[in-house]
Amino acid sequence: MIQVLFFGQLKDQVKMPSVKVEESATSVGELKKTLGVMHPQWQQYLSKDSILVAVNQTIGNDQTLLNDGDEVAFFPPVTGG
């Protein structure tokens, strides 16, 4: 199982703070595809190049490998002033 967390504006767009994924996904890219099948309305948000991802609190990308029990967080880019 993979615990998926959503933060910031993305959490508002998908209308939930987290979801557990039982299906196996070996990479973040595969996880995005799995989430898109489970929740087709999310594809438009998760496919954006600007969406950032962290796996077990370490920044990653679509090629980052996943293992059972990982925590994956998706969040919009952060800007500061």
Side-chain angles (χ1 to χ4, degrees):
M1 177 197 62
I2 296 172
Q3 177 72 27
V4 181
L5 307 172
F6 301 103
F7 291 97
Q9 174 185 7
L10 187 58
K11 180 173 75 173
D12 296 334
Q13 291 168 328
V14 301
K15 297 180 175 48
M16 61 176 42
S18 66
V19 65
K20 292 181 181 180
V21 177
E22 298 290 339
E23 291 83 5
S24 63
T26 59
S27 69
V28 170
E30 283 186 24
L31 177 63
K32 285 181 176 181
K33 289 178 186 175
T34 298
L35 290 169
V37 170
M38 292 171 57
H39 304 277
Q41 68 276 22
W42 293 1
Q43 287 179 346
Q44 63 183 322
Y45 307 119
L46 295 176
S47 65
K48 292 182 181 178
D49 289 336
S50 61
I51 294 299
L52 301 174
V53 64
V55 177
N56 299 324
Q57 300 182 6
T58 301
I59 295 295
N61 58 40
D62 283 356
Q63 288 75 41
T64 301
L65 298 179
L66 299 176
N67 296 297
D68 189 41
D70 282 348
E71 176 186 85
V72 177
F74 291 105
F75 51 100
V78 179
T79 59

